[in-house]
Amino acid sequence: MLEILKETIVDSLKILPFLFSAYLIIEYIGHKSSDKLAVGLRKFGVVGGALAGSFPQCGFSVAASNLYTNKVISVGTLIAVFISTSDEALPILLSNPGNLNTIMGLIVIKIILGIIAGFIADYYLKVFFKTQKIELENNDALNIPHFHNCKNGIVKSAFNHTVNIFFFIAITMFIMNFAIEIIGQENLSRVLLADNVMQPGLAALIGFIPNCSSSIIITQLYLAGNISFGSAVAGLSTGAGVGIIVLFKVNKNYKENFKIMLYIFFISTLAGSLIQLLM
């Protein structure tokens, strides 16, 4: 137990400087452009939603839920944001050197997947979603929250975010190391359906956990080699952070919300399975 704890602490501390650097960059860009990107979410529809959602923070999924409920963006744009959002996955990958190709591949795939899923939802599944009329001129409905507290400054904000996520990572790594030690790598692989076509579906279900822990778990499992890249894509495509919670809070049409979740699960699982078979 002590050996596992020591190993976890050492491995976690190694990524700490890289994690802080990643969040410092993200906070800086967020202060400069988050509001503009959120407005682009309204103006450029599905494509704008997929691009805005790819920025590594949960604010855009929250904004999208509010904008959709207020009939400012389409269901396709909302879905594009949810699918392209990776929550904490990108900072974690950035904190582990040597993952540039993985990061670029993940971003591109999720943007493309978000655009395709969004267009299909808007133009071919209108009956399924009972598409609402978008009120593009409704400025009162354009309720875009501020994603950053400028009073704290980017350094303090980045530090706070780093500390919070660092502990999540450390706990996740400890649980994984402990599970491998107790259960064994082979048995753990069976639990995670290693080399099984069903694994992307399992990852997609994990992705629906409505906070940053899901993206951390999926990313750590992928980095440890316990799930495939296709499964990581599936899990991170359903992991919209707190966006799902906000959607259920502001949109009282729960049947509609569950339809959106079901559609995202189907698209994410299908895409993850295809990637797993091809790679």
Side-chain angles (χ1 to χ4, degrees):
M1 177 70 78
L2 289 176
E3 187 64 30
I4 295 173
L5 182 61
K6 180 181 177 181
E7 181 183 345
T8 301
I9 293 173
V10 171
D11 290 343
S12 300
L13 289 174
K14 285 180 181 178
I15 70 171
L16 190 57
F18 298 99
L19 192 64
F20 176 71
S21 299
Y23 276 120
L24 194 60
I25 294 170
I26 290 169
E27 290 293 332
Y28 176 77
I29 296 174
H31 273 292
K32 296 293 183 181
S33 60
S34 62
D35 286 345
K36 293 179 182 178
L37 287 173
V39 171
L41 212 156
R42 175 201 186 197
K43 290 184 177 180
F44 300 105
V46 170
V47 175
L51 291 173
S54 66
F55 187 79
Q57 59 157 294
C58 63
F60 295 113
S61 63
V62 172
S65 295
N66 282 287
L67 295 175
Y68 173 70
T69 302
N70 288 309
K71 300 181 180 180
V72 178
I73 62 172
S74 68
V75 67
T77 302
L78 174 70
I79 289 168
V81 172
F82 280 1
I83 288 178
S84 64
T85 296
S86 296
D87 208 13
E88 306 299 339
L90 297 186
I92 295 172
L93 289 170
L94 284 169
S95 67
N96 288 265
N99 288 299
L100 183 59
N101 290 336
T102 299
I103 293 168
M104 295 305 297
L106 181 66
I107 292 173
V108 171
I109 289 172
K110 280 163 58 64
I111 288 175
I112 293 173
L113 184 61
I115 291 172
I116 293 173
F119 273 121
I120 291 175
D122 277 350
Y123 295 100
Y124 297 101
L125 295 176
K126 291 182 178 181
V127 175
F128 178 71
F129 288 111
K130 296 182 180 179
T131 304
Q132 60 185 5
K133 182 179 179 182
I134 307 304
E135 300 177 5
L136 292 177
E137 302 302 322
N138 186 357
N139 292 322
D140 292 333
L142 192 58
N143 180 24
I144 301 173
H146 291 284
F147 308 134
H148 301 274
N149 187 348
C150 298
K151 294 179 180 179
N152 288 335
I154 61 172
V155 175
K156 184 175 180 180
S157 183
F159 175 79
N160 290 338
H161 211 151
T162 300
V163 170
N164 291 333
I165 299 305
F166 172 77
F167 282 111
F168 261 108
I169 294 173
I171 292 170
T172 303
M173 289 177 66
F174 175 77
I175 293 173
M176 286 173 55
N177 290 335
F178 185 74
I180 291 172
E181 181 69 24
I182 300 299
I183 301 174
Q185 182 71 48
E186 186 176 338
N187 291 327
L188 184 63
S189 294
R190 290 197 191 100
V191 172
L192 296 171
L193 305 178
D195 301 321
N196 191 303
V197 72
M198 299 297 290
Q199 191 188 74
L202 175 61
L205 288 175
I206 294 173
F208 277 124
I209 298 173
N211 58 38
C212 63
S213 63
S214 61
S215 60
I216 292 173
I217 292 169
I218 291 167
T219 306
Q220 291 295 122
L221 287 172
Y222 171 70
L223 290 173
N226 291 313
I227 63 173
S228 66
F229 179 70
S231 295
V233 169
L236 294 175
S237 294
T238 57
V242 295
I244 293 291
I245 294 178
V246 174
L247 179 64
F248 274 86
K249 181 179 180 181
V250 298
N251 184 26
K252 301 306 180 183
N253 188 339
Y254 298 131
K255 183 178 179 180
E256 182 179 68
N257 297 341
F258 280 116
K259 282 184 179 180
I260 291 170
M261 289 182 66
L262 179 63
Y263 177 68
I264 291 174
F265 174 78
F266 173 77
I267 290 292
S268 301
T269 302
L270 178 62
S273 298
L274 289 174
I275 292 171
Q276 182 170 283
L277 289 171
L278 294 174
M279 293 184 67

